[in-house]
Amino acid sequence: MTSAILLVGGRGTRLSPITDQIPKPMLPIAGLPVTEHQILAAKKAGVKTLVLATSYLAEVFTPYFGDGSKWGIDLRYAIEKEPLGTGGAIAHAAAELNESEKETVLIFNGDVISDHDISAQIATHQKSSADVTLHLIQVEDARAFGSVPTDSQGRVIAFLEKMDQPITNWINAGCYIFNRAVIDSIPRGIVTSVERETFPALISADRRIFGYKENSYWLDIGTPLALFKASRDRVKARFSAHPTAHIDSSALLSGGTFIGAQATIASGATLDNCIVSEGAVVAESAHLSRCFLAPGAIVKSNAVYKDRYMSIEKNLPITFI
Ligand code: GTP
């Protein structure tokens, strides 16, 4: 395994207004963008070349990740003028890889935080001579997801849409291993969804689609509830802060709050389960709960906010769905 494609070009509608200025994969979880968590996981699994498939707010990624040398990987960019959907994005990004780099490709939905063992997923893929191997995760209630039943050998037998009584609670976790032949079969330049078109078509054509089942920590951060949960889970303490943050000793931070670089938290402020980006300021005795502060946001003294998105220009409610 030498290469990977990260799908990071979606609009992130469900996280609006947080995603109006920051693309979903760049949202910070415990101080690192989701994409950086994924790059680190890919690197651990031996990935050396990685393509970021960007579209919406594509310009935000390059200044942060550059050529990838900071992470010891060869990082390339594939920018879609118009979003091509998850399948079209894979076909478009694969053009940045040469034939041998395309042999076995790790593909990540850019909004997933996962601790699963990617090397074990690759081993399963190779052992079963699969065309595609999907990471599957078991959820308590699969009604909100499409479900993915497998046979006793782990071979995927269907890719089912959401339903009231799912026949299995194993769902697609958004991390795949693709063979070159499958990548090459996705039409170029056409909007295509891997979930709705490519996978069902491959199953109908009797191709070897396998599931890799692992129930380690996994979260799709696509909704506000999940975003704040991921932050709370990954901070793993009452709070965490960048070393350059200024936090008054009388401030009370809880619920896995993260304070970014050069941010200031003044005396008497309380913050519960908040994400505070770099350079933001929370003045004296402000009380914030489940708020996202964009870079440079300013919260006035004594302000009391719950479930808000704040930037330099805006102060908007976040709708929890
Ligand atoms: P919602 O609008 O809230 O559904 O979010 P989304 O646009 O991110 O869609 P979704 O969660 O279904 O996407 C899953 C992953 O694929 C995310 O990481 C997206 O960034 C990515 N993605 C979705 N559509 C495209 C696309 O057209 N191009 C690229 N490059 N990535 C995409």
Side-chain angles (χ1 to χ4, degrees), residues 24-318:
K24 180 165 62 172
M26 287 302 285
L27 293 175
I29 300 295
L32 297 183
V34 179
T35 302
E36 190 169 351
H37 286 280
Q38 294 185 328
I39 289 177
L40 294 170
K43 179 147 197 249
K44 200 170 146 202
V47 167
K48 296 194 169 51
T49 304
L50 197 145
V51 186
L52 287 186
T54 65
S55 182
Y56 174 67
L57 295 176
E59 66 281 6
V60 175
F61 293 88
T62 324
Y64 189 92
F65 292 109
D67 63 2
S69 49
K70 188 173 160 197
W71 292 268
I73 52 157
D74 172 6
L75 188 61
R76 304 170 193 171
Y77 297 85
I79 305 169
E80 298 146 49
K81 282 204 194 89
E82 294 298 328
L84 289 168
T86 46
I90 293 170
H92 184 255
E96 300 301 318
L97 299 172
N98 66 34
E99 292 304 300
S100 67
E101 288 167 342
K102 265 199 300 186
E103 205 54 59
T104 316
V105 182
L106 168 72
I107 298 173
F108 249 126
N109 272 355
D111 50 2
V112 164
I113 295 278
S114 177
D115 281 348
H116 80 284
D117 183 343
I118 297 171
S119 301
Q121 184 181 358
I122 297 165
T124 300
H125 179 78
Q126 282 159 348
K127 199 175 72 197
S128 15
S129 304
D131 291 307
V132 175
T133 303
L134 299 97
H135 174 209
L136 303 181
I137 192 97
Q138 197 171 31
V139 291
E140 248 169 57
D141 182 357
R143 280 176 301 177
F145 305 91
S147 56
V148 186
T150 51
D151 68 13
S152 57
Q153 309 299 310
R155 190 161 173 173
V156 174
I157 50 180
F159 220 80
L160 304 172
E161 297 282 338
K162 290 176 196 174
M163 56 175 80
D164 283 342
Q165 289 182 315
I167 61 167
T168 173
N169 55 0
W170 288 95
I171 62 157
N172 171 13
C175 177
Y176 323 118
I177 315 291
F178 271 42
N179 270 2
R180 184 170 65 185
V182 171
I183 291 189
D184 287 345
S185 72
I186 304 173
R188 291 254 182 103
I190 297 173
V191 177
T192 313
S193 156
V194 274
E195 299 88 346
R196 286 190 298 278
E197 294 164 78
T198 313
F199 293 145
L202 289 168
I203 291 164
S204 299
D206 213 22
R207 298 292 288 274
R208 295 179 66 78
I209 313 302
F210 278 75
Y212 167 73
K213 294 181 170 178
E214 185 184 322
N215 262 337
S216 44
Y217 184 86
W218 176 87
L219 200 64
D220 169 343
I221 61 121
T223 64
L225 205 58
L227 174 72
F228 285 100
K229 177 175 170 14
S231 187
R232 181 193 286 268
D233 291 346
R234 296 314 252 202
V235 164
K236 291 181 181 158
R238 281 187 300 116
F239 77 96
S240 171
H242 190 275
T244 60
H246 314 282
I247 303 170
D248 188 89
S249 57
S250 66
L252 280 179
L253 308 179
S254 61
T257 287
F258 187 84
I259 312 294
Q262 306 288 347
T264 303
I265 311 296
S267 60
T270 65
L271 286 85
D272 181 54
N273 197 197
C274 291
I275 301 173
V276 177
S277 305
E278 63 271 14
V281 176
V282 178
E284 294 76 24
S285 302
H287 298 293
L288 306 180
S289 170
R290 247 182 1 191
C291 289
F292 186 100
L293 274 59
I298 296 172
V299 178
K300 292 192 185 126
S301 53
N302 299 306
V304 179
Y305 291 127
K306 184 170 192 296
D307 300 346
R308 306 291 291 191
Y309 163 79
M310 282 164 254
S311 69
I312 293 176
E313 314 89 18
K314 294 179 185 167
N315 179 344
L316 298 168
I318 298 170

